[in-house]
């Protein structure tokens, strides 16, 4: 396994039902130093269709990273995380839980389901943008990921 070069496009799937948070993440990544492509889906059902490249997502790139909210309509983030980590085709995709929940049970459950990290969304706008940029920096340029 070799580390990716920074100029290579890095695909991120954001699973987020809050349009404001999705927009902030898009802006943070757009202004970042990395070459990232962000795709946003709004619920767990759509996330699994994207990850499995079903229907309208048949030609979508496999994401290098998933940013996953827990409280989602139709299928919540815990279910998405469980399905991803049970699927041999998806389990190696790193998942960063990015959610408003500070509940100990959500943190423990996410790690039990093999989340790669758990981040509580900051309520401060500048801090939220800084957190998203640090996630991108870490996963795009520090970590060595498995080949696609």
């Amino acid at each position: 396994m070799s580390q990716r070069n920074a100029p290579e496009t890095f695909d991120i799937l954001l699973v987020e039902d809050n349009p404001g948070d999705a927009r902030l993440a898009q802006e943070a990544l757009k202004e970042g130093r990395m070459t990232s492509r962000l795709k946003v889906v709004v619920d767990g059902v759509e996330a699994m269709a994207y990850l499995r490249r079903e229907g309208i997502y048949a030609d979508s790139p496999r994401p290098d990273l998933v940013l996953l909210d827990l409280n989602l309509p139709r299928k919540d983030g815990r279910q998405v995380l469980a399905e991803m980590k049970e699927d041999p085709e998806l389990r190696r995709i790193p998942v960063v839980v990015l959610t408003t929940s500070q509940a100990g049970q959500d943190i423990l459950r996410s790690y039990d389901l093999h989340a790669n990290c758990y981040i509580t969304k900051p309520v401060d706008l500048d801090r939220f943008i800084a957190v998203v940029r640090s996630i991108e920096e870490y996963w795009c340029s520090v970590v060595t990921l498995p080949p696609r």
Side-chain angles (χ1 to χ4, degrees):
M1 291 186 271
S2 63
Q3 188 162 358
R4 304 216 167 163
N5 296 331
E8 183 179 344
T9 301
F10 190 81
D11 291 301
I12 301 172
L13 176 63
L14 173 62
V15 187
E16 174 61 68
D17 64 324
N18 181 317
D21 287 349
R23 192 182 81 257
L24 284 175
Q26 288 171 322
E27 290 300 316
L29 294 173
K30 187 186 312 179
E31 295 173 12
R33 295 177 301 190
M34 306 293 152
T35 306
S36 297
R37 286 188 302 200
L38 181 70
K39 173 63 180 169
V40 179
V41 296
V42 297
D43 65 47
V45 172
E46 193 176 356
M48 291 312 299
Y50 185 94
L51 290 164
R52 292 183 174 137
R53 299 177 181 162
E54 298 171 342
I56 62 171
Y57 302 114
D59 296 325
S60 296
R62 173 69 39 92
D64 297 297
L65 177 68
V66 174
L67 302 179
L68 180 65
D69 189 15
L70 290 182
N71 301 310
L72 300 166
R74 299 203 297 164
K75 181 181 289 195
D76 77 11
R78 297 158 200 84
Q79 292 170 293
V80 171
L81 183 56
E83 286 182 36
M84 284 184 69
K85 297 306 179 177
E86 289 171 1
D87 186 324
E89 296 294 316
L90 304 176
R91 72 172 51 133
R92 288 189 181 130
I93 300 171
V95 177
V96 173
V97 173
L98 183 61
T99 187
T100 56
S101 175
Q102 296 179 18
Q105 64 191 22
D106 283 336
I107 297 167
L108 290 172
R109 180 76 177 131
S110 295
Y111 283 115
D112 285 346
L113 292 170
H114 306 287
N116 295 86
C117 81
Y118 190 103
I119 299 172
T120 302
K121 291 178 192 172
V123 291
D124 176 73
L125 173 67
D126 292 333
R127 184 74 185 121
F128 181 86
I129 290 170
V131 164
V132 171
R133 286 186 182 155
S134 68
I135 292 168
E136 179 190 37
E137 173 77 23
Y138 179 76
W139 288 100
C140 290
S141 63
V142 176
V143 174
T144 300
L145 295 173
R148 289 182 181 164

